[in-house]
Amino acid sequence: AHSTDRWIVQKYVEDPLLVDGHKFDIRQWVLVSDWNPVTVWLYQECYLRFALSKWSTDNFEDRLAHLCNNSVQKDDAGFEEKKDESMWEADTFRAWLQANGHASVWEEKIAPRMKAVSVWAMSCAQDVLSNRKESCELFGYDFVLDSHFNVWLLEVNSSPDMAATTPVTEKLCHTCLY
């Protein structure tokens, strides 16, 4: 029998890497230029999106502490005043890693794993997505790191938001698209 039920399997990362007590995720743009064979390109720059409330396991209902994207964070009463600090370019994060004694973890662990997971995810989906020759599609991958710098894929967004809502996205969206 064929079931039309759809399921989401999800695991909450209980020990996310925090920056000054704040959870973050990493948005990586991924371009698929062909599905057969799967041809995946990662944009040269990614960026971090921070939760504006401090992370805590005391209240899982606090969306501002547990969800990092701007569509959630904009509900914070002080978002307009804080939005410039709600995102970092990857270079800022790499400098933070270096200042905290983890200079090589980006190149040796985080970036290679993000790339591998990006390819694996598209390979898994290639049979259910339509293959339009001579076209391409941009996806927004969201990753989170745990306290041991393990990379976890949160979600893959088709047609990711490319709005310039902060100085970081203003710079990166423009350079990605033009």
Side-chain angles (χ1 to χ4, degrees), residues 108-166:
E108 292 177 5
K109 188 170 186 177
I110 299 169
R113 189 63 169 183
M114 286 174 34
K115 183 175 183 177
V117 169
S118 297
V119 173
W120 294 335
M122 285 301 147
S123 296
C124 290
Q126 79 181 85
D127 293 337
V128 295
L129 295 170
S130 59
N131 183 7
R132 296 180 312 244
K133 282 291 182 196
E134 299 181 27
S135 67
C136 60
E137 189 161 357
L138 183 68
F139 295 89
Y141 276 62
D142 297 336
F143 295 98
V144 68
L145 304 176
D146 66 24
S147 61
H148 302 287
F149 305 105
N150 294 310
V151 175
W152 295 83
L153 176 63
L154 292 176
E155 65 180 340
V156 179
N157 298 282
S158 60
S159 304
D161 184 8
M162 300 298 284
T165 56
T166 70

Side-chain angles (χ1 to χ4, degrees), residues 30-169:
V30 174
L31 182 79
V32 176
S33 58
D34 199 347
W35 290 101
N36 189 16
V38 174
T39 308
V40 176
W41 307 88
L42 274 68
Y43 183 64
Q44 62 197 15
E45 290 297 326
C46 57
Y47 61 97
L48 280 66
R49 305 178 304 178
F50 286 92
L52 294 175
S53 294
K54 295 249 183 189
W55 185 83
S56 169
T57 56
D58 294 339
N59 182 4
F60 285 105
E61 301 298 317
D62 183 359
R63 293 168 35 104
L64 297 174
H66 296 279
L67 301 175
C68 302
N69 61 31
N70 263 8
S71 64
V72 172
Q73 295 301 315
K74 69 181 180 184
D75 293 337
D76 181 272
F79 177 73
E80 284 302 315
E81 295 80 43
K82 299 182 214 173
K83 74 178 182 180
D84 289 357
E85 50 195 75
S86 70
M87 290 187 187
W88 277 3
E89 292 183 49
D91 286 343
T92 305
F93 182 55
R94 287 190 286 268
W96 181 87
L97 288 168
Q98 184 171 4
N100 285 277
H102 307 289
S104 63
V105 74
W106 180 265
E107 290 80 15
E108 292 177 5
K109 188 170 186 177
I110 299 169
R113 189 63 169 183
M114 286 174 34
K115 183 175 183 177
V117 169
S118 297
V119 173
W120 294 335
M122 285 301 147
S123 296
C124 290
Q126 79 181 85
D127 293 337
V128 295
L129 295 170
S130 59
N131 183 7
R132 296 180 312 244
K133 282 291 182 196
E134 299 181 27
S135 67
C136 60
E137 189 161 357
L138 183 68
F139 295 89
Y141 276 62
D142 297 336
F143 295 98
V144 68
L145 304 176
D146 66 24
S147 61
H148 302 287
F149 305 105
N150 294 310
V151 175
W152 295 83
L153 176 63
L154 292 176
E155 65 180 340
V156 179
N157 298 282
S158 60
S159 304
D161 184 8
M162 300 298 284
T165 56
T166 70
V168 170
T169 54

